[in-house]
Amino acid sequence: MPKYNNPKIWFPAFLLLIVATGCSDPDKNSGAGNPGSPLTPPTVVSVVPVGSAIGVCQGAVVTATFSKAMNPATIISPATTFTLAAGATSVAGTVSLDATDMVATFTPMNLLALDTQYTATITTGAQDQFGNGLAQDFVWMFTTAITACPSPIAFGTPGCGFGILAGSTVTNTSTVAAPTNVTGDVGVWPGTAITGFPPGTLTGTLDAGDTTAMTAQGQLTTAYNAAAGAAGGAALPGDIGGETLYPGVYKATSSLGITGNLTLDAQGDSTAVWIFQIGSTLTTAAGSVKLQNGALPQNVFWQIGSSATLGTGTTMAGNLMANQSISLNTGVTLNGRALASVGAVTLISDTVNVPPCGP
């Protein structure tokens, strides 16, 4: 019989193979270069607000994402592990970890001061779940806005419940196979015509020329005027596709285009507000308005002097408030509201996700 058929020879060799390949401890076998390894110290892979950010709103929270799950006891309880300071003055706040134990959040007890540079620090006391601390302190800075960021604009009730509101008509030309869907109310006033529901679907009510739609139109007028009168107004180029814009008031004296993607970055403040004052038309090509770092669609306001046209396949965010009309071409996703004061709102196999009511 050959030697390799002798169990006294091959069985111990098989055990040696198991030990050599590390099957008994897959984590350690991953090596020190693997972020999940117990041999690897954690690192901070991203932060919000980003380092050297400017114009950060007063309501911002500060977050840090780690390369691996952390030990909550080394981050949440110690008052010196994750800190925020303005110069030599410490900021009072609380620290929490998300469900993955990888994202730590420092929430200031009070609003941050205006036009102030803040320093955030995570010390080597922050340890992963294997007891490894950061190799060195992680420090970054950001600066708050010079003036207070704009406040949200309230529509009130019933206005905030409308996903679609027109002055003359609402027309939906979708099919049963690809219906328009609105997660809210659809209304018109002083006109009375709403067509295409069904096959269009909605979760709210149809208000065709009734007192509910009339009240909502009055609230739209108030919100439109508030947006138009917001102070400030940083000048915009003719097309803002490819831009990243932070909270504030922005102004386009004539028409505004969005070709490609536009990013709205809240820099950690879920109450951050954007107000776009557009003198004439708003037109989008296929692309997206992307919200990040706490930005919410209910806090984005587009005050449009005439009409808005959303191109085929566009993903849009915010409250469209047009003096005249709004057209959604095929396959548009609007995370917000389409509200026209005088003219029509038209839809073609679109999705309108109505955000929660604001303040």
Side-chain angles (χ1 to χ4, degrees):
M1 179 182 295
K3 288 183 179 180
Y4 55 76
N5 285 333
N6 186 336
K8 293 182 179 180
I9 296 176
W10 65 262
F11 186 72
F14 180 69
L15 290 178
L16 288 173
L17 178 62
I18 293 176
V19 173
T21 57
C23 291
S24 63
D25 193 346
D27 284 335
K28 288 186 178 180
N29 185 58
S30 62
N34 188 311
S37 168
L39 304 178
T40 304
T43 59
V44 177
V45 296
S46 65
V47 294
V48 177
V50 298
S52 301
I54 60 175
V56 176
C57 290
Q58 292 176 277
V61 298
V62 184
T63 66
T65 300
F66 295 92
S67 59
K68 57 200 303 190
M70 303 298 285
N71 179 357
T74 68
I75 296 178
I76 295 176
S77 299
T80 57
T81 301
F82 188 174
T83 60
L84 185 66
T89 304
S90 296
V91 175
T94 59
V95 179
S96 60
L97 272 177
D98 74 343
T100 69
D101 290 334
M102 295 178 70
V103 181
T105 301
F106 183 100
T107 303
M109 187 174 297
N110 301 301
L111 292 176
L112 301 178
L114 290 172
D115 196 20
T116 301
Q117 186 179 74
Y118 285 87
T119 301
T121 303
I122 301 176
T123 70
T124 56
Q127 298 179 1
D128 65 20
Q129 296 180 357
F130 300 106
N132 302 299
L134 296 179
Q136 60 186 19
D137 291 353
F138 189 90
V139 181
W140 74 103
M141 293 178 289
F142 61 89
T143 303
T144 51
I146 296 175
T147 58
C149 293
S151 299
I153 297 172
F155 287 105
T157 303
C160 66
F162 280 85
I164 304 295
L165 181 65
S168 59
T169 60
V170 175
T171 303
N172 170 48
T173 57
S174 65
T175 64
V176 173
T180 287
N181 180 61
V182 180
T183 61
D185 301 328
V186 175
V188 59
W189 189 89
T192 58
I194 300 176
T195 60
F197 291 89
T201 62
L202 67 158
T203 61
T205 60
L206 288 175
D207 296 286
D210 59 18
T211 57
T212 300
M214 179 178 68
T215 300
Q217 277 288 2
Q219 292 170 328
L220 170 58
T221 298
T222 300
Y224 182 97
N225 291 337
L236 291 173
D239 194 297
I240 54 175
E243 300 278 349
T244 295
L245 298 178
Y246 301 104
V249 180
Y250 296 90
K251 189 176 189 67
T253 56
S254 57
S255 296
L256 181 67
I258 306 175
T259 303
N261 296 330
L262 167 67
T263 300
L264 304 181
D265 189 341
Q267 301 183 104
D269 184 1
S270 61
T271 67
V273 171
W274 290 258
I275 298 175
F276 293 91
Q277 300 168 334
I278 304 167
S280 182
T281 60
L282 171 66
T283 305
T284 72
S288 298
V289 174
K290 298 183 175 182
L291 307 179
Q292 69 180 26
N293 294 327
L296 297 173
Q298 59 264 38
N299 293 335
V300 181
F301 302 89
W302 305 86
Q303 178 258 317
I304 304 157
S306 58
S307 300
T309 302
L310 305 187
T312 300
T314 294
T315 297
M316 186 64 177
N319 302 284
L320 302 178
M321 302 182 294
N323 182 43
Q324 295 297 318
S325 62
I326 301 175
S327 298
L328 279 62
N329 285 320
T330 306
V332 167
T333 297
L334 170 60
N335 298 309
R337 302 175 176 90
L339 312 172
S341 295
V342 176
V345 175
T346 58
L347 307 104
I348 310 172
S349 300
D350 305 305
T351 300
V352 180
N353 300 310
V354 182
C357 292

